[in-house]
Amino acid sequence: MMPTTIALPSTDQEIGPRRPGAIYQNVDGRFEVLALITDPREAAQLLRRASARWAVIVRDTLRPDGQPYAVGSVWTTSDYLIRPPKAAAPAAAFAPAA
């Protein structure tokens, strides 16, 4: 029997359309993407995991006191785009408040 090869989704497929400026919604809320972190070390640190390929910094726009936080969940059919990302947005830097 031949071994089965499973193709893992690419980073772009996992992130989906979540780029700075985009707004998307799912069962957890409606989120504005503030930054996309593609450095694995920084992403792992933000997500408090041993490893991660990426992280997205979001803010829940349905909460008036919504504070930015990092998510690492993959884009699924439960997520839908409300506003596309800003065209040619410069790389956003995220610095935690002191």
Side-chain angles (χ1 to χ4, degrees):
M1 186 172 177
M2 295 188 69
T4 304
T5 304
I6 299 173
L8 296 175
S10 71
T11 299
D12 279 343
Q13 289 172 318
E14 289 180 349
I15 296 167
R18 293 177 290 184
R19 302 293 188 275
I23 295 179
Y24 71 98
Q25 187 164 338
N26 59 31
V27 296
D28 297 322
R30 181 179 299 154
F31 306 97
E32 178 182 14
V33 178
L34 304 176
L36 170 60
I37 310 302
T38 56
D39 174 60
R41 255 194 189 149
E42 189 177 353
Q45 186 177 30
L46 285 168
L47 296 170
R48 296 183 176 105
R49 296 182 187 167
S51 67
R53 296 195 298 180
W54 55 271
V56 179
I57 307 295
V58 299
R59 180 181 63 86
D60 190 339
T61 62
L62 297 177
R63 295 175 173 256
D65 63 340
Q67 295 296 310
Y69 63 97
V71 296
S73 54
V74 300
W75 185 262
T76 70
T77 56
S78 298
D79 301 308
Y80 61 95
L81 193 62
I82 293 174
R83 180 179 79 193
K86 296 174 184 169
F94 178 77

